Amino acid sequence: MTDLSPVYAYVDEHADRMVADLQRLIRQPSISSANLGVRECAELLVEMMGDVGITARVIETDGLPVVYGEINSDRPEAPTLLIYTHYDVQPADPESDWESPPFEARRVGDRIIGRGATDAKGNLMAHLKAVEALRATTGLPINVKFIFDGEEESGSPSLPAFVERHRDLLAADAALSFDGGFDAGDVPRVSLGTSGLLFVQMRAHGGSKDLHSARARLVPNPAWKLVWALASIKGPDGRVRIEGFYDAVRPPTPLERSLLEQAGWDDEAQKRDLGVDEFLGGVSGVDALEQLLFTPTCNIAGFASGYVGEGNKTLLPATAAVNVDFRLVVDQDPADIFQRLRKHLDDHGFADVELHDLGSIEPSRVPADSPFARVVVEAARRVYGREPSLRPSESASGRQAVWLAGKLGIPGAGTGIGPPDWRGHAANEFITVRHYLAGIKYAATIWSLFGEG
Amino acid sequence: MTDLSPVYAYVDEHADRMVADLQRLIRQPSISSANLGVRECAELLVEMMGDVGITARVIETDGLPVVYGEINSDRPEAPTLLIYTHYDVQPADPESDWESPPFEARRVGDRIIGRGATDAKGNLMAHLKAVEALRATTGLPINVKFIFDGEEESGSPSLPAFVERHRDLLAADAALSFDGGFDAGDVPRVSLGTSGLLFVQMRAHGGSKDLHSARARLVPNPAWKLVWALASIKGPDGRVRIEGFYDAVRPPTPLERSLLEQAGWDDEAQKRDLGVDEFLGGVSGVDALEQLLFTPTCNIAGFASGYVGEGNKTLLPATAAVNVDFRLVVDQDPADIFQRLRKHLDDHGFADVELHDLGSIEPSRVPADSPFARVVVEAARRVYGREPSLRPSESASGRQAVWLAGKLGIPGAGTGIGPPDWRGHAANEFITVRHYLAGIKYAATIWSLFGEG
């Protein structure tokens, strides 16, 4: 591989300015849930990308804008890498919980404290500085395309339509996310998948208004209807009874299983954190982690009907609603599961239960031994001098690089550069200068290794 | 029977004053749910009872006070009748819905409009005026004891303990309620039973706090637990699966069934009112009325867990609670059903579902051909010149005379004197002067017939 020591030296030499630029980005609020400062932040980014030679622009979506940029290598055969991260941040309230104002980006020792310091402005800025360092030294080894999401903290609702609309623009050889950070023990993490999601609401109706509960002898109760419908969908054994629900589910490969075994899962720490004595099905150890990452579920996220509260209201409710979310795994298709659920309801006597699709995200998983995954892992080894934690999937759902790669039919992976316990979504989020500067080198190293194929 | 024409004539002669006294009582608010004017109304009643010769006093309960009174006949062999009604009223809000202020007791034509005009101050005052009219003319044919409840509109929660504590005081040969009024078509109603009630809350717990729903693969969901527990309690066929639940249920006697056939049940009017196309189980006509009055039920009155509302919260709830009310029929015992429900949960894998008793009322029903029921029916025929509607039971639950009779081991019945559509619990509640004066004669006639055995 090209000797990257000039790149690393450039980063170290220009550390103060690189930190100052990150502080400038953090100081521009960009809270997507409140649409606060998002557009201003997008415009600031276009300016900062231009400063390092990236051709950038704001592209409108159905929601908040995407910042898109590209820069090409001088090398004619260079592959193209699509980098995904986001410039929006979580709300900072209550601000009183912060030791310094959330958008001040105050530096305290090695820490830069601020909302978005790691998630994902530190991650994002590492790319811009990698471009600068490479161009100033060894040259850019690959073509890079950037897609900076403005709605990640709100679930990236506009991304699917954006990707459909800009398929040609996004054409690349691989996709990589930079978001989040290190595991406990300062272990870098590489993620190769996310869970899918199908979120639905089921609604049932009884009489035309809430009635005296004595009338329950004659008038159907919508809460009972949902109880029976739900009980038909999943039994106390935890198995989902929708026909074909598990058909597409793939078990972990031997390599994925071995990765789980290396993951350092700690039953007792997890149980303490979750507040339970035992995991569902009585699983423990690596089996528990496999259950968390490789099995789909069907969860009641909310059930609302009638009245539960002060005072004894014995009423017959007119309506009942239940929110159910399915966490899906590859290769389950949310649209297919929705259809199967509708058919299940129809076939089991619940044709009159309304079913509303509240949103979905496709699951994604790439093979742990894919060449691109090996590139990212190798880069982590070289920069951090240790073996990264390779996660075959995440339990949660999201539309980041692995999802994007699935959409575009290319390899994908996700990683991040924030320090352990970087307090994402909480007060006093921070990044350390050390992790930030190492992150710039990490990005440059991934690109170089990728450029060499 | 004694010729009651002097009694009736006395009522007619003193009509204006009798109406004025009712207005005076209505003008004293006595809203039990807000404890507004209740004690003042109790003291006013003691005064008004003294005015007609009744020895009366306020007796404390665990809640709001009972007004108790008694007056004896001169006849040595006279039986004793215990009269139950209540002096508390429903709230009057919103007052803007009233055509005259709810506590003004304004007379408009034949109507006296006011909160409590029928329910139950008109009913109550009919007794006091019957005492006056009988004493001024033919003499009191029986001994009468009065128990005027101050918490009926709040479910009479203190009455069971009150009855236990004052069993000797309440000793009587029969119990009679005066509450409510006439059926549509100006048909007087006589009621011989009420439903029982068992109201419980079931609660389940999952993790120590609401969690990300991805954790549903490892952490039990309390809403699912309640769904499965509920589904084990009652299936889509509507049958309650608690062992022995139906053991004590008695079908209607041939006489009771014939009363249902005479009740004038109107399927279409009921369906319109309830907002349904069909009754549960597809029943219709007299079978529907029998289902309403003679079968117990198990109703979900409220289900609350997690979040259902704006924004897509895919959470794993920490807790779930469901309120369930059972309407019971004779001879089901709420305490027994509670124990059976607890055992059912334990036996079906739900030992960790908490069960809380939120309150209960025993069902009550007296035979339709009991001598006391025949007395009340005969009095209605004589005063109103028509056949009353004889209800073997009511669908709702309450602690009125039939319940009281069950507690005391004596015959009981309930009736009322308000005009059809008297707007109980709603705005513009009223009684007519005609129904009020007839009601005084009705009370006197029941007493006279009862006195003759």
Side-chain angles (χ1 to χ4, degrees):
Chain A
M1 189 179 81
T2 313
D3 176 15
L4 290 177
S5 54
V7 183
Y8 295 0
Y10 181 92
V11 172
D12 293 333
E13 277 158 33
H14 297 84
D16 286 351
R17 189 178 37 77
M18 290 178 169
V19 166
D21 284 347
L22 173 56
Q23 286 172 307
R24 187 180 168 208
L25 185 60
I26 295 168
R27 282 177 192 135
Q28 172 58 58
S30 54
I31 302 170
S32 55
S33 66
N35 192 9
L36 186 82
V38 176
R39 192 162 293 272
E40 292 82 349
C41 191
E43 281 157 13
L44 174 61
L45 271 176
V46 169
E47 178 196 328
M48 292 177 120
M49 291 164 87
D51 289 346
V52 297
I54 301 165
T55 307
R57 59 189 160 117
V58 171
I59 305 184
E60 297 304 323
T61 71
D62 299 334
L64 296 169
V66 158
V67 176
Y68 176 80
E70 51 186 50
I71 185 166
N72 289 332
S73 170
D74 298 330
R75 303 178 199 178
E77 300 300 303
T80 301
L81 183 62
L82 179 64
I83 305 283
Y84 170 95
T85 190
H86 61 96
Y87 68 93
D88 67 321
V89 300
Q90 282 279 320
D93 48 286
E95 297 205 9
S96 56
D97 286 357
W98 288 73
E99 62 190 56
S100 67
F103 296 106
E104 185 185 298
R106 185 184 297 179
R107 180 165 173 176
V108 178
D110 194 42
R111 290 188 179 187
I112 301 161
I113 299 164
R115 170 57 80 229
T118 282
D119 183 17
K121 287 177 175 171
N123 277 286
L124 187 157
M125 186 58 77
H127 295 300
L128 306 195
K129 295 304 161 194
V131 168
E132 178 191 329
L134 283 163
R135 289 184 74 218
T137 54
T138 59
L140 206 61
I142 57 170
N143 307 315
V144 190
K145 293 181 173 181
F146 300 95
I147 170 171
F148 296 154
D149 190 352
E151 292 183 327
E152 198 274 346
E153 299 295 1
S154 302
S156 305
S158 307
L159 208 59
F162 177 86
V163 171
E164 283 311 311
R165 207 172 296 146
H166 298 285
R167 225 164 231 293
D168 294 344
L169 191 69
L170 302 178
D173 299 297
L176 178 69
S177 290
F178 257 49
D179 192 10
F182 280 49
D183 285 353
D186 213 15
V187 178
R189 186 199 305 172
V190 178
S191 175
L192 300 173
T194 50
S195 290
L197 174 69
L198 171 64
F199 193 35
V200 300
Q201 184 169 88
M202 290 162 52
R203 286 207 287 265
H205 303 276
S208 54
K209 55 182 185 289
D210 287 356
L211 296 169
H212 189 295
S213 74
R215 292 295 181 266
R217 288 135 162 163
L218 292 179
V219 175
N221 182 316
W224 272 115
K225 206 177 290 180
L226 291 189
V227 161
W228 295 321
L230 287 166
S232 80
I233 289 170
K234 190 168 93 165
D237 62 356
R239 287 284 292 181
V240 175
R241 296 172 178 172
I242 299 167
E243 200 180 318
F245 182 78
Y246 294 99
D247 283 0
V249 175
R250 284 195 268 129
T253 62
L255 174 56
E256 287 166 340
R257 175 77 190 185
S258 78
L259 292 174
L260 299 181
E261 280 160 7
Q262 295 159 29
W265 173 264
D266 181 339
D267 277 337
E268 293 313 311
Q270 291 287 337
K271 287 179 187 168
R272 245 190 334 267
D273 188 44
L274 300 172
V276 292
D277 297 329
E278 192 181 49
F279 296 133
L280 276 177
V283 290
S284 63
V286 178
D287 291 340
L289 183 57
E290 180 178 327
Q291 187 161 302
L292 179 64
L293 300 183
F294 284 84
T295 61
T297 190
C298 171
N299 175 62
I300 298 174
F303 196 136
S305 185
Y307 180 82
V308 177
E310 286 304 303
N312 288 354
K313 291 198 187 173
T314 53
L315 60 86
L316 168 57
T319 62
V322 64
N323 281 3
V324 176
D325 67 286
F326 296 85
R327 295 284 161 183
L328 304 178
V329 296
V330 283
D331 290 311
Q332 291 178 306
D333 171 16
D336 170 66
I337 300 296
F338 184 86
Q339 293 306 325
R340 288 178 188 273
L341 174 58
R342 178 70 268 172
K343 184 172 186 317
H344 174 95
L345 292 171
D346 294 345
D347 290 351
H348 288 75
F350 304 107
D352 57 346
V353 169
E354 292 176 15
L355 184 61
H356 300 269
D357 189 340
L358 299 183
S360 59
I361 299 176
E362 297 84 359
S364 57
R365 198 193 318 158
V366 292
D369 54 359
S370 80
F372 183 63
R374 276 187 278 173
V375 159
V376 180
V377 166
E378 179 58 23
R381 282 188 197 120
R382 290 199 192 186
V383 174
Y384 299 110
R386 59 188 307 172
E387 195 62 23
S389 162
L390 189 56
R391 295 271 193 106
S393 182
E394 301 290 338
S395 62
S397 313
R399 294 187 173 101
Q400 299 210 346
V402 183
W403 174 87
L404 197 56
K407 283 283 190 194
L408 297 170
I410 56 178
T415 189
I417 66 165
D421 187 26
W422 48 276
R423 301 190 191 149
H425 298 203
N428 302 315
E429 179 181 348
F430 68 96
I431 195 166
T432 69
V433 170
R434 180 170 70 85
H435 282 86
Y436 172 53
L437 298 178
I440 300 168
K441 298 170 188 172
Y442 184 31
T445 307
I446 294 170
W447 299 356
S448 295
L449 286 170
F450 184 56
E452 290 168 14
Chain B
M1 190 180 80
T2 314
D3 176 15
L4 290 179
S5 55
V7 184
Y8 295 178
Y10 181 92
V11 172
D12 292 334
E13 278 159 33
H14 297 85
D16 287 349
R17 189 177 38 76
M18 289 180 169
V19 166
D21 284 346
L22 173 57
Q23 287 172 304
R24 185 180 170 210
L25 185 59
I26 295 168
R27 284 179 190 133
Q28 171 59 56
S30 53
I31 303 171
S32 55
S33 65
N35 193 8
L36 186 82
V38 176
R39 190 162 295 271
E40 292 82 348
C41 191
E43 281 158 13
L44 173 62
L45 271 175
V46 169
E47 178 197 327
M48 292 177 118
M49 292 164 85
D51 289 345
V52 296
I54 301 165
T55 307
R57 61 189 160 117
V58 172
I59 305 185
E60 297 304 325
T61 72
D62 299 332
L64 296 168
V66 158
V67 176
Y68 177 80
E70 50 185 52
I71 184 166
N72 289 333
S73 169
D74 297 332
R75 303 179 199 177
E77 300 300 304
T80 300
L81 182 62
L82 178 65
I83 305 283
Y84 170 95
T85 190
H86 61 95
Y87 68 93
D88 66 324
V89 300
Q90 282 279 319
D93 49 285
E95 296 206 10
S96 57
D97 286 357
W98 288 73
E99 63 188 56
S100 66
F103 296 106
E104 186 187 299
R106 186 185 296 179
R107 180 165 174 175
V108 178
D110 194 41
R111 289 187 180 189
I112 302 161
I113 299 164
R115 171 57 82 227
T118 282
D119 182 19
K121 287 177 176 172
N123 276 288
L124 187 157
M125 187 59 76
H127 295 299
L128 306 194
K129 294 304 161 194
V131 168
E132 179 191 328
L134 282 163
R135 289 183 74 217
T137 54
T138 59
L140 204 62
I142 56 170
N143 307 316
V144 192
K145 293 181 172 181
F146 300 95
I147 170 172
F148 296 154
D149 191 351
E151 293 183 327
E152 198 274 343
E153 299 295 0
S154 302
S156 305
S158 307
L159 208 60
F162 177 87
V163 171
E164 282 312 311
R165 206 173 297 145
H166 297 285
R167 228 164 228 294
D168 293 346
L169 191 68
L170 301 177
D173 298 297
L176 177 70
S177 289
F178 259 48
D179 192 9
F182 279 49
D183 285 353
D186 215 16
V187 178
R189 185 199 304 171
V190 178
S191 176
L192 301 174
T194 50
S195 290
L197 174 70
L198 171 64
F199 193 35
V200 300
Q201 184 169 87
M202 290 161 51
R203 284 205 290 264
H205 303 275
S208 53
K209 56 181 182 292
D210 287 355
L211 296 169
H212 190 295
S213 74
R215 292 293 180 271
R217 288 136 162 163
L218 291 179
V219 175
N221 182 315
W224 272 114
K225 206 177 290 182
L226 291 189
V227 161
W228 296 321
L230 287 165
S232 80
I233 290 168
K234 191 168 90 164
D237 63 355
R239 287 285 292 184
V240 176
R241 296 172 177 172
I242 299 166
E243 200 181 317
F245 182 78
Y246 294 99
D247 283 1
V249 175
R250 284 195 267 131
T253 63
L255 174 56
E256 287 167 339
R257 174 78 190 184
S258 77
L259 292 174
L260 298 182
E261 280 158 9
Q262 295 159 28
W265 173 263
D266 181 339
D267 278 337
E268 293 313 312
Q270 290 287 338
K271 286 178 189 170
R272 244 188 338 267
D273 187 46
L274 301 172
V276 292
D277 297 329
E278 194 181 49
F279 295 134
L280 275 177
V283 291
S284 64
V286 179
D287 291 340
L289 183 58
E290 180 178 327
Q291 187 161 304
L292 179 64
L293 301 182
F294 283 85
T295 61
T297 191
C298 171
N299 174 62
I300 298 175
F303 197 137
S305 185
Y307 180 81
V308 178
E310 285 305 303
N312 287 355
K313 292 199 187 172
T314 53
L315 61 86
L316 168 58
T319 61
V322 63
N323 281 3
V324 176
D325 67 285
F326 296 85
R327 295 284 162 184
L328 305 177
V329 296
V330 281
D331 290 310
Q332 291 177 304
D333 171 15
D336 171 65
I337 299 296
F338 183 86
Q339 292 307 324
R340 289 179 187 272
L341 174 58
R342 178 69 268 173
K343 184 172 186 318
H344 174 95
L345 292 172
D346 293 347
D347 291 350
H348 288 75
F350 304 107
D352 56 347
V353 168
E354 292 176 14
L355 184 62
H356 301 268
D357 189 341
L358 299 183
S360 60
I361 298 176
E362 297 83 0
S364 57
R365 200 194 317 160
V366 294
D369 54 358
S370 79
F372 183 61
R374 278 188 278 174
V375 159
V376 180
V377 167
E378 179 59 24
R381 282 190 197 118
R382 293 198 189 187
V383 174
Y384 299 109
R386 58 189 307 174
E387 195 64 21
S389 163
L390 189 55
R391 297 271 193 105
S393 181
E394 301 291 337
S395 62
S397 313
R399 294 188 173 102
Q400 299 209 347
V402 183
W403 174 88
L404 198 57
K407 284 284 191 191
L408 298 170
I410 56 178
T415 189
I417 66 164
D421 186 25
W422 47 278
R423 301 190 191 149
H425 298 203
N428 301 316
E429 179 180 347
F430 68 96
I431 194 165
T432 69
V433 171
R434 179 169 70 86
H435 282 86
Y436 171 54
L437 298 179
I440 300 167
K441 297 170 188 171
Y442 184 31
T445 307
I446 293 169
W447 300 355
S448 294
L449 286 170
F450 185 56
E452 289 169 14

